[in-house]
Amino acid sequence: MNAPTAVFIVLAAVAVVSSLNVILRRNPVHSAIFLALTILCLAGEFVLLNAEFIAATEVIVYAGAIIVLFLFTMMLLDIRGGMRTRQFQNQFGLAAPIAVLLVALLGAAVGAINISGLPAAALSTLQAAQLGSVQNLGQELYSNFLLPFELASLVLTVGLIGAIGLAGHGAEDREEQVRIEEALEFDTKVRAKEGGHLEPEEELVPAGGHHA
Amino acid sequence: MAVLPEVVVTVLAMLLLLLDAVLPEHRKSGLTWLALLGFVVAGAFNLYQWGSPAQSAYGGMVGADNFTVFFNTLFLATAILVVLMAPAYLRERALPFGEFYSLLSFAVLGMMFTAASTDLISLFVSIELMVIAVYILAGLARREKRSNEASLKYFLLGAFASAILVYGMSWLYGITGQTNLAKIAGVLKATSLDNPLLLMTIALLAVGVGFKVALVPFHAWTPDAYEGAPTPATAFMSVGPKAAAFAALLRIFISAMGPAQPDYSLLFAILAVLTMTLANVVAIQQNNIKRMLAYSSIAHSGYILVGLAAAQPGAGSDQVAGIPALMFYLFVYTFMTLGAFAIVAYVQAGQVTGESFDDYRALGRRAPMTAIAMTLFMLSLTGVPPLAGFFGKAYLILAAVHSGMAWLAVAMAVNSAISAYYYLRVVVVMYMSDTTERVPLYRSPFIHSMLAVASLATFFVGVFADPFLRFAQGATLGF
Amino acid sequence: MSVPLNYALALAAVLFVTGLAGVILRRNILIIFMSIELMLNATNLNLVAFSRYFGNVNGQIFVFFVLVVAAAEAAVGLAIIVSLVRHYKDSLNGDEFNLLKG
């Protein structure tokens, strides 16, 4: 076993343990921290696989942006309420299919080379080092992959609109919200009492506007 | 210029966003006209490209062929009809015009690039552009609890599905070493198809796209998301992203994995039968019309999937081939479903919910023309001749029989009969029950012209099916 | 020669299934969302490994776009969660949002 493989195995072990912690922890803040640890291990694996630029991007985007966003959200919300209740859904019947899937995917992973029959590229050390270089990726991104690159900018624009449009309004909505909820409740009650439809004297809206 | 219609829609989306920020509140309804103009111009550029030789652009990322033109026509027609049905509803509920139209444009842009993509990477980015915009559209009524909830359910399952889909794509890249769809097909043709890895990839991709087009058993999000979202957004979700997901399905499973067709044909046939049967049985029990239409839309995904199960790559424009039948049905489905949802939006006016069957009591007397239009849509969804829905189903059944899956054709016919029960129930409520309730209906020239267009299309695509079928057949030549 | 392809694919498979299990079994929506991020990262590892194996850069470019999409998705998803939890005080449990039921 060569040195990169040994490092890979160590990082993989840490990644698996911390990913299990992501899904098993009661406190979502702990999950987020373990997710960051998993990401850091993966970035290390990327370096071993000659993807240095992607490794850096992964750390910056995931650990630097996405997980911080998660942590900010947890600060905004009261997460303790969710921690006091039952943590798992009653779906343990699905554990068996999940285990089968795991075995199948692992089998595929182990047998991948023998089955697919596609030859590995015999890269020299220099070629391998250039594969994930900033220069190489930059050239590809701005030539062959220009269109998805532009589309990605639109995806981020939409993300921005969404964040502002959905969460960017606070207190001024509260009054309107209460009004709608009361109206909905009233609507449901009236319907239940009258067996499905309103009587004329209880009508909410004035008559008029008949047309087709 | 291969992507001119897409460029027009991009400019439109940006313009809507900018004007929304600078226009004073009372001028914002003018955005409706701008959106209409933009989509019509894009549609004109798009139709102009029909029949021009297929070409590849941007380093093989997108293809400009008749397939793209067909789907762009579908998407732009959807966009125009949704813009027509939206203003009255948006004004009534004080929802933001600018955000709605610009998100709609972004979603349409994502759909157009989804249909045009000839590479896994551009396909993935386009699909995500579409679905992220639609998550926001579903939650746009942010003051309403159920709109938030719809948006969350749609988002969580959509993101889950995307993760499975992209994992499947990574395996497809791993099996073939290529991301270009045509090159993938080349590699698959040259290698043995008797390959467990390929089967696993097919399964992952089918689950990923299955969530997006709401196939049973991956449909659980659909009724909730459709019921809670603002009705014009629901109308859009039930047609646009679904058609785009079918375009992606065709691009992946026919363009790229066509050589593996014997491997997945049966899988899709079984999913189709499961989907239509379960959706129809559950639809019968619904009392909320939006939920009923949600299950109906799931059932229709099942019908449409029959086309893929019966597809024979290389059959091209064969009269009874599965793919033209699938595309023709999508075309028909667009008009009848949008029409039905427009009427739901119309009847909801002035009410907090207004979505139960009781709200349709005596609609035949209260609004005769609307009731006639609704009857037309319901009959077409059932598949009554000579309406468009009938021919759509007939071609699919023919395709199934022709490809030797008679049992699939039988399942589809039986399901159409079951679905008649809940579609006709709407008609019965509209004409055969009385009410003292007098809720005012909208006065909106937009929604009336939208209903007129949708009902005329539902009627004439049925009566003169031939040119439209040829349109669909001409569009499959890209494969 | 560096790390064998199989090792990377196996690690990706384990991470993917872990994420999948998290989505299916947990109730807390924030943790469900983080599990989805785990699944995306498994995909990234798969793509990088194949990219190295074939000596072809497409896989790494794909990872780049998966990252962009994940960022946009996180922004929108967390906005949706914030906007919903305003209505349901004290709860982050997905199965308690039950206004929409047939």
Side-chain angles (χ1 to χ4, degrees), chain A residues 115 118 173 176 187 203 208 211, chain B residues 142-143 175 195 353 440 442:
Chain A
I115 298 170
L118 282 175
D173 277 358
E176 175 72 8
D187 198 49
E203 201 168 305
H211 71 300
Chain B
R142 58 171 187 274
R143 302 187 200 92
I175 293 174
N195 177 341
T353 53
Y442 289 120

Side-chain angles (χ1 to χ4, degrees), chain A residues 2 5 8-9 12 16 19-20 22-25 28 31-32 35 38-39 42 45-46 48-51 54 57-58 62 66 69-70 73-74 77-79 81-82 85-89 91 94 98 101-102 105-106 109-110 112-113 118-121 123 128 131-132 137 140-141 145 148-149 152 155-156 159 163 166-167 169 174 177 181, chain C residues 1-11 13-28 30-35 37-38 40-42 44-45 48-58 60-61 63-65 67-72 74-76 78-83 85-87 90-93 95-96:
Chain A
N2 53 15
T5 312
F8 186 95
I9 290 174
V16 170
S19 75
L20 283 173
V22 173
I23 69 160
L24 294 175
R25 284 281 166 160
S31 291
L35 182 59
T38 315
I39 304 293
L42 278 179
E45 314 283 41
F46 290 177
L48 294 175
L49 291 162
N50 296 107
I54 294 294
T57 321
E58 169 106 357
Y62 261 104
I66 297 181
L69 209 55
F70 269 102
T73 311
M74 290 173 205
L77 307 175
D78 179 19
I79 53 171
T85 54
R86 196 163 47 81
Q87 293 296 304
F88 290 93
Q89 306 209 27
Q91 300 219 337
L94 286 169
I98 293 175
L101 181 73
L102 178 62
L105 287 181
L106 278 177
V110 173
I113 297 179
L118 282 175
L123 300 183
L131 180 66
L137 280 172
E140 287 286 329
L141 264 183
F145 296 91
F149 187 77
V155 171
L156 290 173
L166 292 173
H169 307 255
R174 208 50 57 81
Q177 201 172 299
E181 272 161 30
Chain C
M1 185 61 202
S2 65
V3 185
L5 174 68
N6 292 349
Y7 288 29
L9 297 185
L11 174 58
V14 172
L15 290 180
F16 183 80
V17 177
T18 311
L20 190 104
V23 173
I24 292 174
L25 298 177
R26 290 300 298 248
R27 293 173 78 215
N28 186 313
L30 285 168
I31 293 180
I32 292 178
F33 195 9
M34 282 187 246
S35 306
E37 301 294 345
L38 268 183
L40 287 175
N41 276 295
N44 289 350
L45 182 57
V48 168
F50 282 128
S51 175
R52 174 68 185 77
Y53 179 75
F54 295 121
N56 128 358
V57 79
N58 289 17
Q60 294 195 15
I61 301 274
V63 175
F64 183 82
F65 289 111
L67 285 173
V68 173
V69 165
V76 172
L78 293 171
I80 293 172
I81 292 175
V82 168
S83 144
V85 174
R86 277 187 197 148
H87 292 280
D90 267 358
S91 177
L92 282 167
N93 292 333
D95 49 359
E96 282 170 23

